[in-house]
Structure formats: structure tokens, C-alpha cells
Amino acid sequence: MNQQSKPFRRIVTGHDTDGKAIIVSDAPPVRSQLVGGPGGPTFFEVWHTLETPALIHYQPDETDERGLVLPPPTNGTRIRVIEFPPEGEEIRKLTGADAAAKFKSMGDEKAFTSQEGAPHPLMHRTQTVDYGIVLEGEITLILDRAETIIQPGDIVIQSGTNHAWANRSDKICRMAFVLIDGQFTNDIR
């Protein structure tokens, strides 16, 4: 199934030398990566900050980051858009080693948590608070003991929960994610 997704722009604002607000750049995100080959999701890395509170410069620029990194920087934030194609048998039948390799390719193999009997082969958990917003399509959020279908306009607030995403529809699902570095409390480590 060949589905073409609508491109989107990343508009970055800043200041001129007089301190007046300007547009620094207006273009599609400069980095995208298909994860896991054909049939896998495409990650569009939109922006990240290295700290919070974030330092505000006259002319913000992207910090140098090599490749895809799943979590935000320590004490930082990340915004990305992910396009999830319809999930096929190749995902549902992933071995543990193959699924772990997918997380390794995203720079965070320790996020992988799936074990035999897990509700989905791509279960994972990060020490982050994530805001996920469905922009187009629909997707199923899978947790250890629950699942729900998320539709356009729905927002998920994920607090370090073990989860996976499954696109059980016949169309691409596009989601925006804001990831904020976090730390587990002693009672849920």
C-alpha cells in the first residue's frame, strides 16, 4: 500500500538585532528517519531543547544530534511527528531480538520492555512525560492492562507508562509528540 502523506512545515521564530520578532526558518523538518524498513513508522525530528528552562537566543538553531534519539536530552524536551503506517503481520510477529534491535536503532534499547505474553511486541517505557496528539488517522494505545483508540484531536498524557502503538486502520496515522525528560519516583521504579 503506497500512501503519500501531506508535508508539513516547521516554522522557527527568533529575533533580529533590534530585538524584534522574526521568522528564522520556514521549511519541512530537516531530519526524518524510517524505522525498521518498509512498513515501519517515519520519525520527523522537529526540535529539541537541551535544558529546562530552555535558553532563548536571538537566533535559535538546532543543536547537533547524530541520528534518531528516542528520549529527549537529559533535563530537556523534544517534539517530533511520527507517521505510523497500518500495522501488518511483520510487526505483530516480531521476535524479541528484532523488536529490541528497532529500539537500538532509535538510540534507546533500554526502553524496550516486551516479553513473552506482552500485549504487543513493541512495548516500551521511557522516563518521560509525553504529550501525544493525533493529527490525522487513528491509532490504538496499548498499555499493560488496557487499550484505547485515539482519534484526531485526542491528546494522550503519558507519565512513564509501559506502552505500544498499533495502527489497526487502513490509513496512515500522524501524531505529534512533545517529550519532557522525567524521573521515576521510588514507588514506581
Side-chain angles (χ1 to χ4, degrees), residues 34-46:
L34 176 64
V35 176
T42 300
F43 283 60
F44 297 89
E45 297 301 278
V46 179

Side-chain angles (χ1 to χ4, degrees), residues 31-45 67-70 80-86 90-91 94 98-109 122 124:
R31 290 188 304 126
S32 66
Q33 182 174 330
L34 176 64
V35 176
T42 300
F43 283 60
F44 297 89
E45 297 301 278
L68 179 64
V69 181
L70 189 61
R80 71 168 43 108
V81 171
I82 302 178
E83 291 183 350
F84 297 92
E90 68 279 359
I91 298 293
L94 279 174
D98 290 339
K102 290 188 184 304
F103 283 93
K104 185 174 185 176
S105 76
M106 291 184 270
D108 196 9
E109 63 189 308
L122 294 174
H124 62 285

Side-chain angles (χ1 to χ4, degrees), residues 11-139:
I11 298 138
V12 180
T13 65
H15 301 88
D16 64 16
T17 55
D18 296 325
K20 299 297 182 185
I22 61 169
I23 294 174
V24 175
S25 68
D26 182 344
V30 294
R31 290 188 304 126
S32 66
Q33 182 174 330
L34 176 64
V35 176
T42 300
F43 283 60
F44 297 89
E45 297 301 278
V46 179
W47 199 262
H48 66 274
T49 64
L50 298 176
E51 67 278 314
T52 54
L55 297 178
I56 299 171
H57 301 277
Y58 268 96
Q59 300 274 315
D61 62 354
E62 292 189 76
T63 56
D64 189 24
E65 212 171 53
R66 307 242 187 264
L68 179 64
V69 181
L70 189 61
T74 302
N75 298 317
T77 67
R78 179 177 311 284
I79 182 169
R80 71 168 43 108
V81 171
I82 302 178
E83 291 183 350
F84 297 92
E87 184 175 285
E89 284 299 309
E90 68 279 359
I91 298 293
R92 291 187 284 274
K93 292 184 176 184
L94 279 174
T95 66
D98 290 339
K102 290 188 184 304
F103 283 93
K104 185 174 185 176
S105 76
M106 291 184 270
D108 196 9
E109 63 189 308
K110 67 181 182 229
F112 175 69
T113 61
S114 197
Q115 300 173 8
E116 187 157 337
H120 194 276
L122 294 174
M123 296 295 286
H124 62 285
R125 182 179 188 202
T126 57
Q127 284 194 76
T128 59
V129 173
D130 304 339
Y131 307 140
I133 306 144
V134 174
L135 304 172
E136 298 174 24
E138 70 177 40
I139 198 156

